[in-house]
Amino acid sequence: MSTHDAPGAAGPGERAAVLCGIGAALPETVVSNADLTARLDTTDEWIRSRTGITQRRIAGTDLTTEDLAVRAATQALARPSSVPVQALVLATTTPDRCCPATAPAVAARLGLTGIPAFDLAAGCTGFLYALAAAAGLIAAATAQAVLVIGADRLAALPAPDDRTTVPLFGDGAGSVVLRRGTAAESGTLGPVLLGSDGTHAELIRAQRPGVLRMEGAEVFRHAVDRMSAASRQAAAAAGWALDDFDHLVPHQANARIAGFTARQLGIPDDRQLHNVEHVGNTGAASIPLLLAQAAADGRIKPGHRLLLTAFGAGLTWGATTLTWPDLNP
Ligand code: COA
């Protein structure tokens, strides 16, 4: 037994990453489409028909990315099925400052001072990149369990008067705990497919908050193509057919992108999870937030097979598979 092997832990070679905790956090402030029409040249009908979004949650200046991350992580760690963690990965495009990273401060507030903790920036695909990094930390025997957080304040990125981008984004955080386990367990993460294409970096770019530039139609096309291709690859790598999945869990950029992606995969609407209508595009928080809400309201049940996929600035994209565990054993 190595020094990292606790009694009863999986043996050497059995270093699958198994989801055992989940949490989410949203700011209290709700901004509806009607609120936006009062200050932007837009309509509720335009926003809903183009994006599916009816409202989003917005953090005030007193609620930081760090705060949102701490709230979501606290919930994830408090699950009865959760375990103590020895590493933390925070996916965010909107850290509270350039330097130092936000993750060590989050770890400190959670009482986890001393563990490895780092930020990871991969746009709205950040959570899937963070899952892969966490699975790698477990496989490398750096940690028996890893806290993964996606937290973003994307609503701060658009110029306040830009009607083409302001309606799209919201703020939030989601978190999961991954622990070392065996491939046969419920909650085991499948192969994580990731990619990037920096030749299209100009399509979504923000040098600093308040100056986001986006080529919406081009982004739309790339998002659908990349998420459907990555989903096929992740399913194949896991040995699952697309018909085997109970739910597609697409990054909640907007309802039309998710709908086109599902259609390309031949997955009907009733097997596609969504919450973009209530929260907008929350970036790296999007997938764990959706998982947390869908598990809480019963749309996801233990044993359900999930296909997760995301796309974001970079460009970046990814997909993976997951069988939903029982988090209240
Ligand atoms: N209200 C009313 N009109 C608006 C508007 C708004 N909020 N935003 C843009 N328009 C106008 C444009 O000015 C344009 O007018 P014009 O034809 O007179 O020039 C018209 O609507 C069409 O604009 P366009 O940008 O071509 O619309 P679209 O159908 O491509 O929809 C998006 C725009 C942003 C909804 C769509 O491109 C999209 O969803 N892109 C992906 C964005 C995204 O999710 N990014 C994050 C990925 S992680």
Side-chain angles (χ1 to χ4, degrees):
M1 190 185 287
S2 83
T3 52
H4 292 279
D5 284 334
E14 290 195 275
R15 286 180 178 159
V18 178
L19 191 149
C20 64
I22 189 153
L26 285 167
E28 276 86 44
T29 304
V30 176
V31 174
S32 68
N33 289 351
D35 294 329
L36 293 185
T37 60
R39 66 179 176 87
L40 291 172
D41 180 15
T42 188
T43 62
D44 172 55
E45 200 283 329
W46 194 98
I47 298 170
R48 269 191 296 110
S49 63
R50 295 298 216 291
T51 71
I53 299 167
T54 61
Q55 62 175 52
R56 65 289 292 147
R57 300 290 195 93
I58 305 294
T61 48
D62 57 342
L63 188 64
T64 62
T65 296
E66 180 186 310
D67 294 331
L68 288 166
V70 168
R71 287 187 191 179
T74 301
Q75 262 188 27
L77 290 166
R79 292 273 180 176
S81 52
S82 203
V83 295
V85 298
Q86 299 82 35
L88 187 161
V89 186
L90 171 62
T92 185
T93 305
T94 52
D96 295 322
R97 58 203 161 253
C98 293
C99 180
T102 305
V106 172
R109 281 178 58 184
L110 293 169
L112 297 169
T113 303
I115 68 169
F118 59 94
D119 289 6
L120 185 159
C124 296
T125 318
F127 179 71
L128 296 185
Y129 271 70
L131 286 183
L137 292 171
I138 291 169
T142 302
Q144 294 272 359
V146 182
L147 181 62
V148 178
I149 309 170
D152 265 318
R153 293 178 70 242
L154 291 189
L157 294 187
D161 60 349
D162 182 0
R163 69 174 183 170
T164 67
T165 53
V166 166
L168 306 179
F169 298 106
D171 302 329
S175 175
V176 300
V177 176
L178 292 184
R179 64 163 171 81
R180 181 178 169 184
T182 61
E185 287 182 75
S186 243
T188 300
L189 192 67
V192 189
L193 270 290
L194 300 173
S196 77
D197 181 357
T199 65
H200 292 299
E202 296 299 326
L203 295 182
I204 316 176
R205 174 177 287 258
Q207 296 299 112
R208 60 181 184 283
V211 293
L212 179 74
R213 293 265 173 278
M214 184 172 69
E215 302 290 332
E218 270 293 281
V219 169
F220 193 110
R221 188 174 63 76
H222 282 284
V224 172
D225 288 351
R226 292 301 189 182
M227 284 200 287
S228 50
S231 295
R232 285 184 195 284
Q233 289 168 7
W240 291 357
L242 290 170
D243 281 346
D244 292 339
F245 291 98
D246 294 287
H247 300 290
L248 179 68
V249 187
H251 163 52
Q252 299 291 287
N254 80 47
R256 285 174 61 233
I257 291 179
F260 272 79
T261 303
R263 237 161 284 149
Q264 284 214 2
L265 294 169
I267 294 178
D269 284 352
D270 62 357
R271 283 170 50 212
Q272 191 202 130
L273 294 180
H274 52 85
N275 66 353
V276 72
E277 57 273 30
H278 302 305
V279 297
N281 181 347
T282 56
S286 172
I287 287 180
L289 189 54
L290 177 55
L291 289 174
Q293 290 183 340
D297 65 24
R299 281 177 288 171
I300 302 179
K301 297 191 181 353
H304 275 176
R305 288 180 163 197
L306 310 178
L307 178 54
L308 281 44
T309 187
F311 174 89
L315 303 176
T316 58
W317 57 87
T320 192
T321 60
L322 182 68
T323 306
W324 195 249
D326 184 358
L327 297 177
N328 298 297

